[in-house]
Amino acid sequence: MDVTPAASSDKPAGTNGRAVPLPEPKRLGALSRLAPEPMKVVLNWGRRYSLWVFNFGLACCAIEFIAASMARHDFIRLGVIPFAPGPRQADLMVVSGTVTDKMAPAVKRLYEQMPEPKYVISFGACSNCGGPYWDSYSVTKGVDQIIPVDVYVPGCPPRPEALLQGILKLQDKIARESLGERYGTAGRPSTAALRSGLVQGPAAPTGEART
């Protein structure tokens, strides 16, 4: 929604009586326009410390994710709750392991089922760019080819401490987040882009009677 200043006949003081041009109106999300600044701080605070994780473990990096969730590292103390019941109850998807072209439609479909606001951590070299299998005919060259990624954690495999640092980086990003940036259309993939031809449902039979 455009925030356009009201027209006025009074000219601001300028050189030779010329009107001073007003700045370009900004596009703001509906929630950003209505919510006061203290409420934004509270919303971001609650969001950063209540991340339900949907673990998409595909290879050996998933073992390091499990290690980070156990008692020694215990990322629950950071406000991260592992093993959400499903994508519709999750805020954060952690993709750990090699994403193949056959698995890519499933990753994208489950990402689409997550409610906004949602975040993605790419955990490990394979998820970041294909890793040692990047030249394989069947490996996707990074999960960011199909879904947007917020934080990249390098390593092959990364240590659990690296995942903890990635979570802290994501929480810092959430704390600085603007609701206009999150819910606005600028910089976000469109619905048509998310629903591209990558994921296709079963084709309905033609010319056959349904029973």
Side-chain angles (χ1 to χ4, degrees), residues 97-105 107 125-131 133-147 198:
T98 311
V99 183
T100 61
D101 294 342
K102 187 175 182 180
M103 184 59 68
V107 175
C126 288
S127 179
N128 292 344
C129 61
Y133 314 108
W134 70 272
D135 201 22
S136 173
Y137 71 96
S138 61
V139 172
T140 304
K141 310 313 186 262
V143 71
D144 55 2
Q145 302 294 318
I146 52 175
I147 59 176
L198 181 62

Short mmCIF file of all heavy atoms in Angstrom, two decimals, residues 97-105 107 125-131 133-147 198:
data_model
loop_
_atom_site.label_atom_id
_atom_site.label_comp_id
_atom_site.label_asym_id
_atom_site.label_seq_id
_atom_site.Cartn_x
_atom_site.Cartn_y
_atom_site.Cartn_z
N GLY A 97 22.16 -32.17 4.55
CA GLY A 97 22.49 -33.31 3.70
C GLY A 97 22.36 -32.98 2.23
O GLY A 97 22.08 -31.85 1.83
N THR A 98 22.57 -33.99 1.41
CA THR A 98 22.59 -33.83 -0.04
C THR A 98 21.18 -33.78 -0.59
O THR A 98 20.39 -34.70 -0.39
CB THR A 98 23.35 -35.00 -0.69
OG1 THR A 98 24.60 -35.18 -0.03
CG2 THR A 98 23.58 -34.74 -2.16
N VAL A 99 20.86 -32.70 -1.29
CA VAL A 99 19.56 -32.55 -1.93
C VAL A 99 19.67 -33.04 -3.36
O VAL A 99 20.41 -32.48 -4.17
CB VAL A 99 19.08 -31.09 -1.90
CG1 VAL A 99 17.70 -30.96 -2.52
CG2 VAL A 99 19.07 -30.54 -0.48
N THR A 100 18.99 -34.11 -3.67
CA THR A 100 19.00 -34.64 -5.03
C THR A 100 17.85 -34.05 -5.83
O THR A 100 16.89 -33.51 -5.27
CB THR A 100 18.89 -36.17 -5.02
OG1 THR A 100 17.64 -36.55 -4.40
CG2 THR A 100 20.04 -36.79 -4.24
N ASP A 101 17.94 -34.16 -7.15
CA ASP A 101 16.88 -33.65 -8.00
C ASP A 101 15.57 -34.38 -7.76
O ASP A 101 14.49 -33.80 -7.93
CB ASP A 101 17.29 -33.78 -9.47
CG ASP A 101 18.47 -32.88 -9.82
OD1 ASP A 101 18.75 -31.95 -9.04
OD2 ASP A 101 19.14 -33.14 -10.84
N LYS A 102 15.65 -35.63 -7.35
CA LYS A 102 14.42 -36.38 -7.07
C LYS A 102 13.78 -35.93 -5.77
O LYS A 102 12.55 -35.96 -5.63
CB LYS A 102 14.75 -37.88 -7.01
CG LYS A 102 13.53 -38.77 -6.88
CD LYS A 102 13.91 -40.24 -6.94
CE LYS A 102 12.67 -41.12 -6.86
NZ LYS A 102 13.04 -42.56 -6.92
N MET A 103 14.61 -35.49 -4.79
CA MET A 103 14.08 -35.06 -3.51
C MET A 103 13.67 -33.59 -3.53
O MET A 103 12.91 -33.14 -2.66
CB MET A 103 15.14 -35.29 -2.42
CG MET A 103 14.69 -34.97 -1.01
SD MET A 103 13.26 -35.91 -0.46
CE MET A 103 13.97 -37.55 -0.37
N ALA A 104 14.16 -32.81 -4.49
CA ALA A 104 13.89 -31.38 -4.52
C ALA A 104 12.40 -31.03 -4.53
O ALA A 104 11.99 -30.12 -3.80
CB ALA A 104 14.59 -30.75 -5.74
N PRO A 105 11.54 -31.71 -5.30
CA PRO A 105 10.12 -31.37 -5.24
C PRO A 105 9.51 -31.57 -3.85
O PRO A 105 8.66 -30.79 -3.43
CB PRO A 105 9.48 -32.31 -6.27
CG PRO A 105 10.59 -32.66 -7.20
CD PRO A 105 11.83 -32.70 -6.38
N VAL A 107 11.14 -31.25 -0.95
CA VAL A 107 11.62 -30.16 -0.11
C VAL A 107 10.79 -28.90 -0.37
O VAL A 107 10.36 -28.22 0.57
CB VAL A 107 13.11 -29.89 -0.38
CG1 VAL A 107 13.59 -28.68 0.40
CG2 VAL A 107 13.95 -31.11 -0.01
N ALA A 125 27.89 -28.48 3.56
CA ALA A 125 28.33 -28.13 2.22
C ALA A 125 27.39 -28.68 1.15
O ALA A 125 27.16 -28.04 0.13
CB ALA A 125 29.75 -28.64 1.99
N CYS A 126 26.86 -29.88 1.37
CA CYS A 126 25.98 -30.48 0.36
C CYS A 126 24.71 -29.66 0.18
O CYS A 126 24.25 -29.45 -0.94
CB CYS A 126 25.64 -31.91 0.76
SG CYS A 126 27.01 -33.06 0.59
N SER A 127 24.14 -29.21 1.29
CA SER A 127 22.94 -28.39 1.20
C SER A 127 23.24 -27.00 0.67
O SER A 127 22.41 -26.39 0.02
CB SER A 127 22.27 -28.30 2.57
OG SER A 127 21.11 -27.51 2.52
N ASN A 128 24.46 -26.51 0.94
CA ASN A 128 24.83 -25.16 0.49
C ASN A 128 25.05 -25.09 -1.02
O ASN A 128 24.54 -24.18 -1.69
CB ASN A 128 26.09 -24.69 1.21
CG ASN A 128 25.84 -24.44 2.69
OD1 ASN A 128 24.70 -24.33 3.13
ND2 ASN A 128 26.91 -24.38 3.45
N CYS A 129 25.82 -26.05 -1.55
CA CYS A 129 26.20 -25.94 -2.96
C CYS A 129 26.34 -27.29 -3.67
O CYS A 129 26.79 -27.33 -4.81
CB CYS A 129 27.52 -25.19 -3.08
SG CYS A 129 28.90 -26.00 -2.25
N GLY A 130 25.98 -28.38 -3.01
CA GLY A 130 26.17 -29.70 -3.60
C GLY A 130 27.33 -30.45 -2.99
O GLY A 130 27.43 -31.66 -3.14
N GLY A 131 28.26 -29.73 -2.33
CA GLY A 131 29.36 -30.38 -1.64
C GLY A 131 30.26 -31.19 -2.57
O GLY A 131 30.46 -30.84 -3.73
N TYR A 133 29.58 -33.73 -4.08
CA TYR A 133 28.79 -34.36 -5.14
C TYR A 133 28.21 -33.33 -6.11
O TYR A 133 27.25 -33.63 -6.83
CB TYR A 133 27.65 -35.18 -4.52
CG TYR A 133 28.09 -36.04 -3.37
CD1 TYR A 133 27.72 -35.72 -2.06
CD2 TYR A 133 28.89 -37.16 -3.58
CE1 TYR A 133 28.13 -36.50 -1.00
CE2 TYR A 133 29.30 -37.94 -2.51
CZ TYR A 133 28.92 -37.60 -1.22
OH TYR A 133 29.33 -38.38 -0.17
N TRP A 134 28.78 -32.11 -6.10
CA TRP A 134 28.18 -31.04 -6.90
C TRP A 134 28.19 -31.36 -8.39
O TRP A 134 27.34 -30.88 -9.14
CB TRP A 134 28.94 -29.74 -6.66
CG TRP A 134 30.33 -29.73 -7.23
CD1 TRP A 134 31.46 -30.17 -6.62
CD2 TRP A 134 30.72 -29.31 -8.53
NE1 TRP A 134 32.55 -30.04 -7.44
CE2 TRP A 134 32.12 -29.50 -8.64
CE3 TRP A 134 30.04 -28.76 -9.62
CZ2 TRP A 134 32.83 -29.18 -9.78
CZ3 TRP A 134 30.76 -28.45 -10.75
CH2 TRP A 134 32.14 -28.65 -10.83
N ASP A 135 29.13 -32.19 -8.84
CA ASP A 135 29.23 -32.50 -10.27
C ASP A 135 28.39 -33.70 -10.67
O ASP A 135 28.43 -34.12 -11.82
CB ASP A 135 30.71 -32.75 -10.62
CG ASP A 135 30.98 -32.56 -12.11
OD1 ASP A 135 30.18 -31.86 -12.76
OD2 ASP A 135 31.96 -33.12 -12.62
N SER A 136 27.63 -34.23 -9.73
CA SER A 136 26.79 -35.39 -10.06
C SER A 136 25.58 -34.97 -10.88
O SER A 136 25.03 -33.88 -10.68
CB SER A 136 26.34 -36.09 -8.77
OG SER A 136 25.40 -37.11 -9.06
N TYR A 137 25.16 -35.83 -11.75
CA TYR A 137 24.01 -35.52 -12.61
C TYR A 137 22.71 -35.45 -11.83
O TYR A 137 21.74 -34.84 -12.28
CB TYR A 137 23.86 -36.60 -13.71
CG TYR A 137 23.39 -37.93 -13.18
CD1 TYR A 137 22.04 -38.28 -13.21
CD2 TYR A 137 24.29 -38.83 -12.61
CE1 TYR A 137 21.61 -39.50 -12.71
CE2 TYR A 137 23.87 -40.04 -12.11
CZ TYR A 137 22.53 -40.38 -12.16
OH TYR A 137 22.11 -41.58 -11.65
N SER A 138 22.68 -36.05 -10.63
CA SER A 138 21.42 -36.15 -9.89
C SER A 138 21.36 -35.26 -8.67
O SER A 138 20.40 -35.35 -7.90
CB SER A 138 21.21 -37.61 -9.45
OG SER A 138 22.26 -38.02 -8.58
N VAL A 139 22.35 -34.40 -8.44
CA VAL A 139 22.43 -33.59 -7.23
C VAL A 139 22.07 -32.15 -7.55
O VAL A 139 22.58 -31.56 -8.51
CB VAL A 139 23.84 -33.67 -6.60
CG1 VAL A 139 23.99 -32.67 -5.45
CG2 VAL A 139 24.09 -35.08 -6.09
N THR A 140 21.16 -31.57 -6.73
CA THR A 140 20.82 -30.16 -6.85
C THR A 140 21.96 -29.30 -6.31
O THR A 140 22.49 -29.58 -5.23
CB THR A 140 19.53 -29.87 -6.06
OG1 THR A 140 18.49 -30.72 -6.54
CG2 THR A 140 19.10 -28.42 -6.24
N LYS A 141 22.34 -28.29 -7.04
CA LYS A 141 23.50 -27.46 -6.67
C LYS A 141 23.13 -26.45 -5.60
O LYS A 141 23.24 -25.24 -5.77
CB LYS A 141 24.05 -26.74 -7.90
CG LYS A 141 24.31 -27.61 -9.12
CD LYS A 141 25.08 -28.89 -8.79
CE LYS A 141 25.45 -29.65 -10.04
NZ LYS A 141 24.56 -30.74 -10.38
N GLY A 142 22.67 -26.93 -4.47
CA GLY A 142 22.29 -26.07 -3.36
C GLY A 142 20.79 -25.99 -3.21
O GLY A 142 20.04 -25.89 -4.18
N VAL A 143 20.33 -26.02 -1.94
CA VAL A 143 18.89 -25.97 -1.69
C VAL A 143 18.33 -24.59 -2.02
O VAL A 143 17.11 -24.45 -2.24
CB VAL A 143 18.60 -26.35 -0.22
CG1 VAL A 143 19.06 -25.26 0.73
CG2 VAL A 143 17.13 -26.66 0.00
N ASP A 144 19.20 -23.56 -2.10
CA ASP A 144 18.70 -22.24 -2.46
C ASP A 144 18.29 -22.15 -3.92
O ASP A 144 17.79 -21.10 -4.35
CB ASP A 144 19.74 -21.17 -2.14
CG ASP A 144 21.09 -21.44 -2.80
OD1 ASP A 144 21.21 -22.44 -3.54
OD2 ASP A 144 22.02 -20.66 -2.56
N GLN A 145 18.49 -23.20 -4.69
CA GLN A 145 17.98 -23.24 -6.06
C GLN A 145 16.47 -23.42 -6.10
O GLN A 145 15.84 -23.13 -7.13
CB GLN A 145 18.64 -24.39 -6.84
CG GLN A 145 20.16 -24.30 -6.90
CD GLN A 145 20.65 -23.12 -7.70
OE1 GLN A 145 20.10 -22.82 -8.76
NE2 GLN A 145 21.66 -22.44 -7.19
N ILE A 146 15.88 -23.89 -4.99
CA ILE A 146 14.44 -24.19 -5.00
C ILE A 146 13.68 -23.43 -3.92
O ILE A 146 12.50 -23.15 -4.09
CB ILE A 146 14.20 -25.71 -4.84
CG1 ILE A 146 14.96 -26.26 -3.63
CG2 ILE A 146 14.59 -26.45 -6.10
CD1 ILE A 146 14.68 -27.72 -3.34
N ILE A 147 14.32 -23.08 -2.79
CA ILE A 147 13.66 -22.33 -1.73
C ILE A 147 14.62 -21.25 -1.22
O ILE A 147 15.84 -21.42 -1.32
CB ILE A 147 13.21 -23.24 -0.56
CG1 ILE A 147 14.40 -23.97 0.06
CG2 ILE A 147 12.15 -24.22 -1.01
CD1 ILE A 147 14.04 -24.81 1.28
N LEU A 198 7.78 -27.00 -10.86
CA LEU A 198 8.66 -28.02 -10.30
C LEU A 198 7.87 -29.14 -9.65
O LEU A 198 8.20 -30.31 -9.78
CB LEU A 198 9.62 -27.39 -9.29
CG LEU A 198 10.62 -28.33 -8.63
CD1 LEU A 198 11.53 -28.94 -9.70
CD2 LEU A 198 11.45 -27.61 -7.59
#
